[in-house]
Amino acid sequence: MCRLAAITSSKYFSPMENILALETMKEGHDGSGLGLTLKDLGGEFKDLKKYPILSGICSRKGKEILDDYMKECGFKLMHEWTPKIKPVKGIIRRDYYFARVYDYPDDWKDKSDREKEDLLMNTRLTLRKMGEADESIFVFSFYPDIVTIKEVGDPLELAEFFGLDKDNLEAKIIFAQGRQNTNYQIYLYACHPFFIQGYCTMTNGENTAFVPIREFLMSRGFPGYVGYNSDSEVFCHILHYSVRQLGFPLTYYKDIITPLKWEEIQQRPDREALSLLKMSLRPLCIDGPNMVIGFTPDGTCFMVQDAKKLRPGVVGGVKGKYALMSELCGLDKVIPERDKSKDIYPMKYDMVIVSPGAKEVKVWNQLQV
Amino acid sequence: MEPATGLRLDFNHKLTLKEFPYIIRWREDRCKRCGQCTAVCPQGAIRPAVKYVRVIESGGDTPKPRPVRRIIHVIEQVNDIEHYCTGCAICSLVCPNNAIEPEYNPQNKFLFYKNRGGEGYKRGGRRNDPGVSTLDRLKFTRISMLTDPALDAGRHEFRVRSYIGRILPPEELPLKVEDGRLVVDKSSGKFIPPVREIFPIMIGSMSIGALSPTMWEGLAMGVAYLNEVEGIPVVMCSGEGGFPPRLLKSRYVKYFILQIASGYFGWDSIIHTLPYMTEDPAAIEIKYGQGAKPGDGGLLMAPKVIKLIAEIRGVPQFVDLPSPPTHQTKYSIEESVMKMIQSMSMAFGFRVPVYPKISGTRTAKAVLNNLARNPYAAALCIDGEDGGTGAAYNVSLDKMGHPIASNIRECYLDLVKQGKQNELPLIAAGGIGKKGNLAANAAALIMLGASAVAVGKYIMQATADCLGDEYNRCNICNTGKCPRGITTQDPKLYRRLDPDKVAERLVEVFKAADVELRKIFAPMGRSTELPIGMSDGLSIDDKAMAERLEISYAC
């Protein structure tokens, strides 16, 4: 199983908190990789919130290609963050890790947010395609106020490798995953968390319904639904599809991936709409075993389980700081001072939602009337 | 001119028994000459005969062999091609002493002689293909183990259900958000097509008329029991030929799919009963083709058109009822598909899913794409070459048609390309359960992309002990002399079939299939929805087949 550590806070904090939480959860995990997604950035990115940040890894040759392409598109480099790499035994160093802040091309500045989002995504996809064959370019996200770091190796060693303990990298929402995809080939694009246009998820488990879900998403005609080097990437895209593309409130994400039975639907006031969803989105139903943690563009974080609840997951914290973890020991490490009796272990019908700014946590239940 | 041979018989044009597909093995020593076998033989292939024989006997105080001439009674097989033994083995069933049985003769030259009078040989049943079908070669190889623990077929909740009817894509649902909840936007005026939830195995089209009253009654009772007592929503297609008006007006009609084919038999009475119907039928199937005899129409021959059938179909008694291979008034796909579907939808107030059934063919994709553009088309049923039939030319049965596996897969992948794989359900038929593996074949087709499967012959074999098999055994559905009483309107024959037993077996068949489907889906990790298109679950031991079906190769 993967180790998952998500923290949302009203104050900036360092990704080391997540990594130490992953470390406490190490027992029984193979620790084959690390993925970090940071949202609502502090530190050196604090004053650059409006501008998109391209996160990725390049070879020397890839860097040149990337520079040329971004220039050609009209993106202006405003700021660049690169980790101060400290060689660690067992971690193969790649040429160039980066999070680059760009200004939009001149003719895009007045466009709507949605159009800008599409531009950013398409640019990321083109870069991905350009560097995929020879692995010269890996790009994980290109979006304002988001930084993503991924590498193969033990999370704690990788933190040392990237110098995260010394760097002033910090954010208010940080998702960390402590394992590479081990069901398939180990590959950077298969590493969680997955991000698309402000929506991010990471998952514990294996998605048995992967193939029909992938086929359904890819056939939607949206250019961003590609990749799928991991069967968990679809969870992120289902979130994006249901909330951004279809305009459904977040709770319907749960109704889509784990639909209620017909007799249960009858209890809901929105039964008519729900019945249509159950049939129309039938291919997106998951059977698990999965636990999904995600965030949406407004900074809402959530945790859901598949209908059989075969994977662990716990949410807890204090006002202003909540953690969504795959295991309790991770939560104890991050927020030991919380009231443990209020820890939430979401069950099959539950969706735990932490509001933006970690102000409050609530459990929304599918059978809620 | 007088025969040159005078009194000598001319044997030149007689067939030897070696040329027949079955040779009767009769054991003189066991036979007590009761005559039951000859009385029961539907083909008249055996007859009682007397022979004048010369035997050598010895007896008395000083035994001395001497010839004796004696008349003996025997059972003999006729060597007239019109009365060939079909191998149905009904004679064995009635024989009290196990004195008689048909034996398959692989050296037979039957087809050389059966096409007589310039007329091709006709039979019922299914094509003669004793080989292993593609469906039976497919294996389920994606078994959940450790990274994704298998589900427990006995303990987890399973929902083995599918939909029939057009499903609106999520982008087109008339929904709006109100107070953080989704509500149906009634003001949009958007048509929401009717959809039924069904068990993914349905009973394929077999008409009242083709089936005997007892067989049809048994099936209908079984279906009602499955729905109302067992809670398994099995639906059954009526086939062409109408429906008893009393049943049309009853609440049970909701478990039946009414078929309209090119002969339109029975539709007059269905349309007239419309205002008095208390429930809608499950769906309307428009038949354009049949997998067993693609490009052929149907035929209910005169002897089967008894009073009851004549009344339901609205025709005189004892006349041949041929359905042409096409809908005679419609000569383009737009007309056939669009007009037919729309008018049938309208007749039932747009509350009933209407879908066409076609033969498996390389042109299936063209039909599919036409349907995909028609918002009233509810599904597409594709019937593969292994389907059965009541009457067809042997050449059509054996040599025409497209196997279902690659046809359904191709169509599904075509829908995937268009993003309509959930919108337009595919129903696969033809050869499911041919070797008895009903659930496995159904599951394989579902994983290849079918939303549901339709079975006919398996149901007959399992519920009424149909005698037909891939070696041509019996397959005389076309003669009206079905020895089991399944496809006959002769009371002497159909009284052999107990409808209660048929219903009982039908329930057992579906309950067992339900359990077996769970046993397949559970290790695949699928329980809440059908694994439609879960092609990563399948493998086959042939590289070319794997490539064609876009699944993995395993050996």
Side-chain angles (χ1 to χ4, degrees):
Chain A
M1 279 187 292
C2 304
R3 288 181 267 173
L4 308 178
I7 304 171
T8 166
S9 167
S10 55
K11 295 193 189 92
Y12 293 112
F13 61 95
S14 159
M16 277 315 289
E17 286 198 31
N18 298 62
I19 286 159
L20 289 172
L22 291 181
E23 185 59 19
T24 63
M25 297 191 264
K26 186 171 185 176
E27 200 173 326
H29 299 275
D30 67 359
S32 55
L34 172 70
L36 277 175
T37 299
L38 298 85
K39 179 181 166 66
D40 205 347
L41 300 162
E44 59 193 272
F45 296 102
K46 201 172 175 183
D47 302 321
L48 297 162
K49 287 195 181 286
K50 281 193 302 190
Y51 304 105
I53 305 168
L54 182 68
S55 307
I57 306 172
C58 283
S59 64
R60 273 183 203 92
K61 183 185 138 212
K63 185 169 182 276
E64 283 169 28
I65 300 169
L66 183 129
D67 279 337
D68 289 348
Y69 182 73
M70 293 305 276
K71 213 168 162 185
E72 193 188 313
C73 291
F75 283 105
K76 286 182 274 291
L77 185 64
M78 295 179 65
H79 181 76
E80 184 175 34
W81 171 87
T82 52
K84 286 138 204 89
I85 301 290
K86 181 186 165 197
V88 172
K89 200 182 159 197
I91 295 174
I92 303 156
R93 184 189 167 148
R94 296 175 213 247
D95 293 345
Y96 178 59
Y97 299 88
F98 64 88
R100 292 168 143 201
V101 186
Y102 283 97
D103 193 4
Y104 290 102
D106 290 338
D107 49 345
W108 283 83
K109 281 186 179 159
D110 299 327
K111 299 248 169 118
S112 70
D113 286 349
R114 255 183 122 85
E115 284 171 309
K116 280 182 186 163
E117 280 178 343
D118 287 343
L119 168 76
L120 297 177
M121 186 190 71
N122 291 331
T123 310
R124 173 174 65 82
L125 293 175
T126 313
L127 287 169
R128 174 180 173 144
K129 224 176 269 169
M130 286 159 69
E132 208 161 9
D134 58 356
E135 301 196 353
S136 59
I137 303 173
F138 285 99
V139 276
F140 307 121
S141 59
F142 190 22
Y143 199 78
D145 218 10
I146 296 283
V147 163
T148 307
I149 300 166
K150 290 180 185 181
E151 189 46 283
V152 180
D154 178 77
L156 198 60
E157 289 172 5
L158 279 168
E160 197 186 345
F161 172 75
F162 285 122
L164 294 178
D165 48 341
K166 296 184 193 94
D167 207 305
N168 67 344
L169 201 60
E170 53 182 21
K172 285 183 181 171
I173 296 174
I174 301 178
F175 276 24
Q177 198 245 16
R179 192 172 84 164
Q180 273 283 346
N181 189 333
T182 46
N183 303 341
Y184 301 95
Q185 190 188 1
I186 289 193
Y187 184 52
L188 279 178
Y189 279 127
C191 180
H192 310 225
F194 299 103
F195 180 86
I196 185 168
Q197 294 190 325
Y199 298 87
C200 177
T201 66
M202 53 185 184
T203 314
N204 208 349
E206 178 164 341
N207 175 11
T208 46
F210 171 55
V211 168
I213 297 180
R214 179 188 63 190
E215 279 175 352
F216 185 81
L217 287 167
M218 288 180 82
S219 66
R220 293 297 95 192
F222 184 75
Y225 298 156
V226 289
Y228 305 116
N229 302 91
S230 159
D231 59 10
S232 294
E233 193 162 8
V234 296
F235 292 108
C236 183
H237 293 180
I238 297 173
L239 176 68
H240 174 271
Y241 179 61
S242 50
V243 180
R244 183 186 191 265
Q245 301 300 92
L246 297 176
F248 297 165
L250 177 63
T251 50
Y252 287 92
Y253 179 64
K254 175 73 176 154
D255 285 320
I256 289 168
I257 59 173
T258 60
L260 289 174
K261 284 182 258 174
W262 288 109
E263 55 272 26
E264 293 167 337
I265 285 178
Q266 294 313 310
Q267 302 173 28
R268 288 269 295 266
D270 50 355
R271 60 187 81 88
E272 268 187 276
L274 220 48
S275 308
L276 291 177
L277 285 192
K278 184 179 166 79
M279 294 189 286
S280 186
L281 289 157
R282 162 166 71 153
L284 296 185
C285 161
I286 65 164
D287 265 310
N290 294 114
M291 182 270 282
V292 186
I293 300 173
F295 70 68
T296 56
D298 68 352
T300 304
C301 294
F302 67 86
M303 177 187 283
V304 287
Q305 291 279 355
D306 69 275
K308 290 167 205 77
K309 206 211 174 301
L310 285 170
R311 284 286 184 268
V314 59
V315 181
V318 293
K319 196 171 179 184
K321 189 167 190 175
Y322 285 98
L324 304 90
M325 297 279 169
S326 55
E327 278 158 70
L328 185 62
C329 56
L331 184 55
D332 286 343
K333 175 76 186 168
V334 178
I335 315 172
E337 69 279 14
R338 74 192 191 285
D339 178 357
K340 289 183 186 176
S341 66
K342 288 187 177 156
D343 287 349
I344 302 158
Y345 298 87
M347 295 307 286
K348 61 184 275 192
Y349 295 114
D350 297 335
M351 181 175 208
V352 184
I353 301 171
V354 187
S355 63
K359 284 195 196 86
E360 58 163 358
V361 58
K362 65 171 182 183
V363 180
W364 178 83
N365 187 289
Q366 272 184 289
L367 297 174
Q368 206 167 39
V369 279
Chain B
M1 196 177 139
E2 284 195 339
T5 49
L7 287 172
R8 227 173 66 211
L9 289 170
D10 176 8
F11 293 106
N12 280 340
H13 295 286
K14 286 208 166 182
L15 299 179
T16 66
L17 290 182
K18 258 303 226 192
E19 284 157 307
F20 284 76
Y22 288 88
I23 300 170
I24 297 288
R25 298 285 169 224
W26 174 67
R27 296 177 65 167
E28 186 185 4
D29 55 329
R30 289 187 177 183
C31 181
K32 65 165 186 168
R33 275 76 173 174
C34 66
Q36 288 204 57
C37 55
T38 51
V40 85
C41 178
Q43 287 289 88
I46 43 175
R47 65 181 173 201
V50 287
K51 276 185 180 165
Y52 185 60
V53 288
R54 175 179 175 271
V55 285
I56 307 293
E57 272 185 359
S58 54
D61 295 338
T62 51
K64 190 182 170 194
R66 58 192 173 94
V68 179
R69 291 180 187 275
R70 188 179 293 159
I71 289 171
I72 60 163
H73 300 269
V74 296
I75 302 293
E76 81 175 6
Q77 183 174 358
V78 296
N79 55 357
D80 166 11
I81 198 72
E82 294 307 314
H83 297 97
Y84 72 102
C85 172
T86 64
C88 73
I90 278 285
C91 50
S92 315
L93 272 174
V94 297
C95 179
N97 295 334
N98 294 329
I100 192 164
E101 64 178 342
E103 188 178 293
Y104 182 62
N105 167 29
Q107 278 84 40
N108 76 76
K109 289 197 282 177
F110 177 68
L111 288 176
F112 290 80
Y113 306 114
K114 192 55 189 161
N115 300 337
R116 283 283 162 107
E119 179 76 355
Y121 161 53
K122 287 194 284 281
R123 65 181 172 87
R126 199 158 56 191
R127 81 197 177 107
N128 297 329
D129 177 17
V132 180
S133 71
T134 312
L135 293 183
D136 276 319
R137 292 180 71 171
L138 288 164
K139 291 262 171 70
F140 307 102
T141 46
R142 187 206 183 282
I143 312 297
S144 297
M145 276 290 140
L146 292 170
T147 57
D148 53 335
L151 302 173
D152 186 330
R155 291 188 183 87
H156 277 115
E157 274 183 41
F158 274 79
R159 189 177 158 274
V160 184
R161 298 287 182 268
S162 193
Y163 298 120
I164 184 168
R166 196 179 190 95
I167 297 165
L168 283 183
E171 292 86 359
E172 287 175 29
L173 289 175
L175 297 176
K176 59 181 180 184
V177 182
E178 258 176 26
D179 301 330
R181 274 186 194 146
L182 285 176
V183 290
V184 176
D185 184 5
K186 304 261 178 237
S187 64
S188 70
K190 176 109 190 156
F191 169 59
I192 300 174
V195 179
R196 304 276 190 270
E197 192 180 57
I198 59 163
F199 189 69
I201 302 174
M202 52 199 246
I203 304 176
S205 42
M206 294 179 286
S207 72
I208 303 172
L211 295 185
S212 68
T214 44
M215 182 65 190
W216 203 86
E217 190 189 344
L219 292 181
M221 279 196 293
V223 165
Y225 186 90
L226 280 164
N227 277 278
E228 307 220 328
V229 181
E230 296 293 341
I232 303 177
V234 174
V235 290
M236 168 175 162
C237 182
S238 70
E240 186 191 18
F243 213 69
R246 197 165 59 88
L247 202 50
L248 278 175
K249 290 178 205 163
S250 80
R251 65 190 177 86
Y252 299 105
V253 75
K254 64 185 171 199
Y255 307 135
F256 295 90
I257 295 169
L258 304 180
Q259 192 189 69
I260 182 164
S262 54
Y264 306 113
F265 294 115
W267 270 85
D268 201 40
S269 90
I270 292 176
I271 296 296
H272 282 113
T273 318
L274 259 176
Y276 310 104
M277 284 190 192
T278 50
E279 294 268 0
D280 290 322
I284 306 295
E285 179 176 282
I286 305 170
K287 179 192 158 188
Y288 294 97
Q290 192 175 339
K293 43 174 177 180
D296 258 354
L299 170 69
L300 189 72
M301 55 288 178
K304 283 175 123 178
V305 188
I306 56 164
K307 188 162 177 256
L308 171 80
I309 307 304
E311 274 169 12
I312 295 173
R313 296 196 172 199
V315 291
Q317 285 184 55
F318 304 114
V319 292
D320 271 336
L321 297 180
S323 292
T326 60
H327 287 256
Q328 295 288 304
T329 52
K330 299 174 178 70
Y331 279 96
S332 72
I333 188 164
E334 289 83 2
E335 278 192 314
S336 329
V337 176
M338 201 177 70
K339 271 191 196 169
M340 284 284 282
I341 291 178
Q342 258 125 288
S343 50
M344 291 315 292
S345 295
M346 200 192 294
F348 287 88
F350 297 95
R351 300 183 310 268
V352 178
V354 181
Y355 68 89
K357 169 184 161 180
I358 58 167
S359 316
T361 158
R362 286 182 65 178
T363 59
K365 266 177 32 173
V367 180
L368 181 79
N369 283 310
N370 209 284
L371 293 176
R373 288 191 289 272
N374 181 347
Y376 299 99
L380 173 64
C381 178
I382 305 177
D383 191 12
E385 63 172 348
D386 276 331
T389 180
Y393 282 94
N394 190 67
V395 71
S396 302
L397 266 164
D398 277 359
K399 300 293 172 198
M400 305 279 296
H402 196 301
I404 188 64
S406 60
N407 216 187
I408 208 85
R409 184 74 182 138
E410 219 170 39
C411 287
Y412 175 75
L413 290 175
D414 193 46
L415 285 177
V416 167
K417 251 184 233 160
Q418 303 176 51
K420 295 191 174 188
Q421 64 270 52
N422 186 47
E423 204 174 319
L424 195 72
L426 294 172
I427 302 164
I432 295 140
K434 190 174 166 181
K435 295 265 178 198
N437 303 311
L438 174 68
N441 290 174
L445 279 165
I446 287 167
M447 290 189 200
L448 289 175
S451 281
V453 297
V455 278
K457 188 77 179 274
Y458 176 90
I459 294 296
M460 294 205 290
Q461 280 174 328
T463 62
D465 303 334
C466 166
L467 297 162
D469 75 4
E470 308 308 327
Y471 292 98
N472 198 39
R473 187 169 176 191
C474 186
N475 288 341
I476 49 166
C477 328
N478 61 319
T479 60
K481 291 180 193 161
C482 172
R484 279 294 196 199
I486 302 169
T487 56
T488 175
Q489 299 300 333
D490 181 345
K492 274 189 283 188
L493 294 173
Y494 70 64
R495 273 184 208 138
R496 292 174 180 175
L497 201 63
D498 180 351
D500 287 334
K501 283 268 179 286
V502 172
E504 198 180 313
R505 275 296 293 145
L506 186 81
V507 172
E508 284 168 2
V509 162
F510 275 94
K511 281 175 73 177
D514 190 36
V515 171
E516 285 197 341
L517 284 177
R518 286 162 198 241
K519 279 283 174 197
I520 296 168
F521 298 157
M524 301 264 158
R526 208 75 177 119
S527 67
T528 32
E529 286 291 350
L530 280 190
I532 299 172
M534 209 172 117
S535 53
D536 59 332
L538 289 175
S539 295
I540 198 160
D541 59 353
D542 182 291
K543 262 194 169 167
M545 282 178 170
E547 203 174 297
R548 179 81 172 85
L549 298 174
E550 298 189 26
I551 58 171
S552 68
Y553 162 64
C555 60

